[in-house]
């Protein structure tokens, strides 16, 4: 594929990553309004929100099969169109049961598009032979920041129905423009599809499957930390360090901003250090940052720890998904994404139980422990990760 077409394909895939973050964050900022509208208790809302996670996990593996059969580009476009349409449905519900049902559809589309465009990105990374995967995930983070910021600005002026319908309109427009560009190109041939050279031999199928699961565990360790920071970081600052509500909210902002910066510089970091060293260094930095963030007696030290944690975790998930996809194509992306999403589901309730048994600061050190596990996996799989 000529260089100009590769650039066009990269722009189209980047647009889908950014749109995904924009749509998801737009929904998240209206959750309090939807809770009030459906008269849901905190527990009932929690059950309804599980629909997003359940739908995502259920469709991720199936999407891998669809990508192999129809191609990752058409599947990306279809799933994104469904995601854009489904985000308008929650404000139309009037009961928790109905909300759970539409969130199941929303989650299914969200999980599907994440597998599909990550698969498309993996093919492009293999074709250009440059470590550009973090740039796509940076676009997701930037889209999320724009969506959350815009949502905060319009929340006092627009009803959830009008706001999310506006997001649907933007989503369908971007999908139409970027989708046309995406469908114009066939996925570039990835290195994993080339025949083995003399003396190289094919990788054992069982070994590949095991390595995909190992890289999926890196994604799990990373997403566990992201979920924990989103749900428990602000509470730790407010409850344990007596921060104001505004300062407590700034803790997660520090984390996400640092993660975005880390991903924007991730391609240069990968080119300089390689995948294995990036994972080892990132896991080690996140371990130190989270120990500081969870155990520091000072509010400002804790905020600094949250930022350091975001920098450390920033590129672990992109590397894990890219390596899994390089080994096993869309199926590998599906496995790594499912394990990663499982980590995001596992983190918040696990920390809640640990906080009841011990304390919240102690529970948050589990994020540091799993970051250390990711670094250890980087050490153990150094040769394959750099392959």
């Amino acid at each position: 594929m000529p260089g100009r077409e590769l650039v066009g394909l990269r722009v189209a895939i980047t647009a889908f990553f950014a749109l995904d973050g924009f749509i998801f964050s737009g929904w998240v900022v209206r959750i309090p309004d939807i809770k009030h509208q459906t008269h849901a208790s905190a527990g009932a809302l929690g059950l309804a929100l599980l629909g997003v996670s359940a739908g995502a996990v259920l469709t991720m593996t199936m999407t891998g099969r669809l990508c192999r059969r129809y191609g990752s580009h058409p599947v990306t476009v279809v799933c994104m169109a469904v995601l854009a349409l489904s985000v308008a449905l929650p404000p139309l519900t009037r009961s928790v049961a109905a909300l759970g049902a539409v969130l199941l559809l929303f989650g299914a589309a969200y999980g599907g598009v994440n597998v599909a465009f990550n698969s498309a990105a993996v093919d492009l990374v293999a074709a250009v032979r440059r470590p550009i995967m973090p740039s796509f995930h940076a676009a997701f983070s930037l889209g999320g920041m724009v969506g959350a910021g815009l949502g905060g600005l319009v929340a006092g002026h627009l009803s959830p129905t009008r706001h999310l319908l506006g997001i649907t309109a933007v989503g369908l427009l971007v999908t139409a423009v970027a989708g046309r560009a995406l469908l114009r190109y066939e996925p570039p041939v990835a290195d994993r599809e080339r025949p083995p050279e003399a003396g190289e031999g094919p990788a054992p199928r069982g070994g590949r499957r095991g390595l995909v699961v190992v890289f999926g565990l890196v994604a799990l360790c990373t997403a566990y930390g992201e979920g924990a920071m989103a749900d428990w970081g602000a509470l730790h600052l407010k409850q344990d360090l007596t921060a104001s509500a505004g300062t407590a909210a700034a803790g997660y902002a520090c984390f996400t901003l640092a993660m975005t910066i880390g991903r924007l510089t991730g391609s240069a970091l990968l080119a300089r250090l390689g995948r294995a060293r990036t994972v080892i260094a990132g896991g080690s930095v996140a371990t130190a940052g989270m120990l500081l963030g969870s155990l520091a007696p000072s509010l400002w030290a804790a905020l600094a720890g949250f930022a350091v944690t975001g920098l450390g975790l920033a590129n672990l998930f992109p590397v894990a998904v890219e390596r899994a996809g390089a080994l096993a194509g869309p199926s590998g992306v599906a496995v790594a994404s499912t394990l990663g999403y499982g980590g995001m589901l596992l983190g918040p309730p696990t920390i809640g139980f640990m906080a009841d048994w011990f304390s919240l600061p102690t529970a948050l050190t589990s994020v540091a422990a799993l970051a250390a596990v990711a670094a250890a996996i980087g050490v153990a799989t150094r040769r394959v990760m750099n392959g």
Side-chain angles (χ1 to χ4, degrees):
M1 182 179 288
R4 187 175 179 181
E5 292 187 3
L6 288 174
V7 171
L9 185 55
R10 182 177 180 180
V11 171
I13 295 172
T14 300
F16 277 105
F17 270 85
L19 180 60
D20 188 50
F22 178 80
I23 291 175
F24 190 79
S25 64
W27 143 248
V28 166
V29 299
R30 300 316 296 249
I31 288 176
D33 298 309
I34 304 298
K35 178 181 183 296
H36 177 74
Q37 175 182 298
T38 56
H39 307 288
S41 65
L45 178 66
L47 288 175
L49 291 174
L50 278 177
V52 178
S53 304
V57 170
L58 287 173
T59 57
M60 279 178 167
T61 302
M62 181 177 68
T63 305
R65 299 192 191 102
L66 291 174
C67 288
R68 286 199 309 274
R69 182 168 183 179
Y70 299 107
S72 58
H73 294 183
V75 176
T76 296
V77 174
V78 171
C79 288
M80 186 59 82
V82 175
L83 182 68
L85 290 169
S86 62
V87 76
L89 298 178
L92 305 180
T93 61
R94 292 295 179 271
S95 69
V96 175
L99 178 62
V102 300
L103 290 181
L104 191 69
L105 173 63
F106 179 77
Y110 181 75
V113 78
N114 272 269
V115 170
F117 63 39
N118 270 295
S119 297
V122 166
D123 288 336
L124 184 58
V125 169
V128 301
R129 299 188 180 186
R130 288 169 48 213
I132 60 173
M133 195 70 173
S135 67
F136 297 118
H137 289 263
F140 172 85
S141 298
L142 287 171
M145 292 175 67
V146 171
L150 183 62
L153 289 175
V154 305
H157 307 284
L158 292 179
S159 67
T161 302
R162 290 184 176 181
H163 176 202
L164 296 181
L165 274 175
I167 289 178
T168 293
V170 172
L172 291 176
L173 178 62
V174 175
T175 299
V177 174
R180 183 179 180 184
L182 192 64
L183 294 175
R184 190 182 305 147
Y185 307 117
E186 289 291 324
V189 177
D191 285 350
R192 64 176 178 271
E193 295 170 343
R194 64 174 174 80
E197 296 175 0
E200 186 179 50
R205 186 175 296 273
R208 283 193 176 193
R209 189 179 298 117
L211 285 169
V212 166
V213 172
V214 169
F215 292 138
L217 290 177
V218 174
L220 184 152
C221 293
T222 307
Y224 179 98
E226 292 187 54
M229 292 298 298
D231 286 19
W232 294 102
L235 181 62
H236 165 57
L237 296 179
K238 187 174 183 179
Q239 171 185 291
D240 301 311
L241 299 175
T242 63
S244 65
T247 305
Y252 184 61
C254 289
F255 173 80
T256 54
L257 180 60
M259 178 169 276
T260 302
I261 292 171
R263 286 176 171 173
L264 286 172
T265 58
S267 295
L269 187 68
L270 283 167
R272 185 178 183 86
L273 299 181
R275 299 184 190 93
R277 287 183 180 178
T278 298
V279 170
I280 295 167
S284 301
V285 167
T287 300
M290 201 60 228
L291 287 175
L292 176 63
S294 57
L295 301 178
S298 162
L299 173 61
W300 299 109
L303 289 173
F306 284 8
V308 171
T309 303
L311 282 173
L313 293 179
N315 295 302
L316 303 192
F317 193 96
V319 170
V321 171
E322 188 269 328
R323 282 290 82 197
L327 283 171
S331 296
V333 173
V335 169
S337 299
T338 303
L339 284 170
Y341 212 85
M344 192 168 285
L345 291 178
L346 179 67
T350 300
I351 288 176
F353 288 128
M354 292 177 66
D356 285 340
W357 295 334
F358 306 106
S359 68
L360 183 53
T362 301
L364 286 172
T365 61
S366 62
V367 175
L370 287 185
V373 170
I377 290 174
V379 173
T381 61
R382 181 176 299 183
R383 288 188 63 185
V384 179
M385 195 169 285
N386 284 332

